[in-house]
Amino acid sequence: MFSKVPGPIGVFDSGYGGLTIFDKIREILPGYDFIYLGDNARAPYGPRSFDVVYRFTRQAVMKLFEEGCQLVILACNTASAKALRTIQQKDLPEWNPERRVLGVIRPTVEIIADITTSGHVGILGTTGTIQSESYGMEIEKIFPHIQVTGEACPMWVPLVENEEYDSPGADYFIEKHVSHILSVDPAIDTLVLGCTHYPLLADKIRQFVPEHVRIFSQGDRVAKSLKEYLLRHPEMDQRLTRQGTSRFLTTEAAEKFSETATIFLHDPIQVEQISID
Ligand code: DGL
């Protein structure tokens, strides 16, 4: 269904948050070509149902495949939690079994036992990611001795999107959720930022967390895991083009995306507005 000509790596997020992952991937794989797609017109995905997140994510992946991507990273925890498995198991075999779609939850889970000493881990995420219980289920499969507690933080994405992440107003919502999760399980020694927006809140979160509790951002880990994946899968690596280019696509206004993207990437970028539904 899709062409077999070598192409870029696709990176998808509901909006801007995936840029925190994209930035790390580009840093570790600088020679490769990338297309980043943000479905900003329909973000946030966090409060949406399984069916809707799956339908939107499927459309985005199809678009990136149409644009020639051979491999797509769902740089969004909500999409990874609610859509990845169905796309991998149902859609890919029909579309083209040689293409790949990978998420951000599995790479994080794989190293969780190296991070926690107490064996008690907290996951901070959107309502959708926490309700899906994806982290708990994935961790249970590999490390059944680790106890997982989830905390939905529905106001955190709007704080970042509205550039209020460093404001005094952010303190209230950050303290509220951090104190709650640590009261539910005081033995937690690792808090996973299970949403791609949250690394921008890391400094603020630190202020409300005891010193021995580690705050884990996924970007470096997801990037390293992708590099390892390409080493293990030379057949995929050979199908990726390498001219060091990055294209940015959004379903909302291009100017708005390029303006807000500077919070995440620090440099100005060229953006194209597209439609995916
Ligand atoms: N990027 C999403 C995630 O990592 C959060 C933003 C949204 O709710 O759409 O879960």
Side-chain angles (χ1 to χ4, degrees):
M1 179 175 175
F2 298 106
S3 114
K4 290 193 171 165
V5 178
I9 297 172
V11 180
F12 168 69
D13 182 39
S14 55
Y16 303 107
L19 291 170
T20 59
I21 305 277
F22 168 78
D23 199 29
K24 300 292 181 185
I25 293 177
R26 195 169 54 170
E27 203 176 291
I28 209 167
L29 297 171
Y32 289 73
D33 294 322
F34 297 97
I35 301 181
Y36 182 94
L37 168 58
D39 190 9
N40 298 77
R42 302 187 294 192
Y45 280 14
R48 293 189 187 275
S49 67
F50 263 90
D51 281 358
V52 171
V53 172
Y54 164 60
R55 186 157 49 85
F56 287 1
T57 306
R58 186 178 185 276
Q59 289 171 340
V61 171
M62 279 188 86
K63 181 70 186 174
L64 286 166
F65 282 169
E66 280 165 18
E67 292 289 332
C69 295
Q70 301 293 317
L71 166 68
V72 171
I73 311 299
L74 300 185
C76 174
N77 284 270
T78 310
S80 298
K82 292 188 160 183
L84 178 62
R85 185 174 303 230
T86 316
I87 290 174
Q88 284 175 333
Q89 293 179 355
K90 180 175 164 290
D91 296 316
L92 274 183
E94 281 172 28
W95 290 342
N96 182 339
E98 287 177 10
R99 305 253 174 152
R100 287 286 173 271
V101 182
L102 306 173
V104 290
I105 295 178
R106 184 79 191 190
T108 307
V109 163
E110 278 169 358
I111 55 143
I112 207 74
D114 299 337
I115 307 170
T116 174
T117 310
S118 68
H120 291 248
V121 169
I123 311 294
L124 302 165
T126 64
T127 304
T129 298
I130 299 306
Q131 277 177 352
S132 76
E133 295 184 8
S134 297
Y135 274 95
M137 289 188 295
E138 291 292 323
I139 291 173
E140 166 83 27
K141 280 187 215 156
I142 319 181
F143 307 113
H145 65 284
I146 293 182
Q147 191 165 322
V148 181
T149 305
E151 174 81 12
C153 312
M155 287 302 290
W156 289 14
V157 167
L159 284 173
V160 173
E161 299 258 338
N162 291 292
E163 296 183 44
E164 292 287 341
Y165 55 94
D166 202 21
S167 73
D171 291 15
Y172 170 80
F173 290 105
I174 289 173
E175 189 187 7
K176 177 179 169 178
H177 293 297
V178 167
S179 318
H180 183 249
I181 193 169
L182 293 176
S183 72
V184 172
D185 182 358
I188 287 173
D189 71 351
T190 303
L191 285 174
V192 174
L193 303 186
C195 171
T196 51
H197 281 64
Y198 296 176
L200 275 89
L201 298 168
D203 290 345
K204 274 246 177 264
I205 296 169
R206 181 81 266 164
Q207 292 171 23
F208 299 104
V209 171
E211 225 170 281
H212 73 277
V213 175
R214 183 149 176 206
I215 298 167
F216 183 75
S217 296
Q218 300 170 303
D220 284 323
R221 170 60 196 153
V222 172
K224 189 160 175 266
S225 164
L226 175 58
K227 192 175 178 179
E228 289 163 0
Y229 176 86
L230 295 178
L231 285 171
R232 283 199 313 276
H233 294 277
E235 77 291 351
M236 172 55 77
D237 195 43
Q238 282 155 17
R239 286 166 39 216
L240 300 174
T241 52
R242 291 171 182 75
Q243 293 186 2
T245 64
S246 300
R247 271 179 77 200
F248 295 90
L249 311 177
T250 175
T251 53
E252 247 295 346
E255 305 76 50
K256 165 84 177 106
F257 188 96
S258 51
E259 194 187 307
T260 308
T262 56
I263 306 172
F264 295 85
L265 296 178
H266 314 294
D267 292 320
I269 52 169
Q270 289 283 327
V271 184
E272 303 159 49
Q273 183 174 3
I274 55 150
S275 167
I276 61 174
D277 55 0

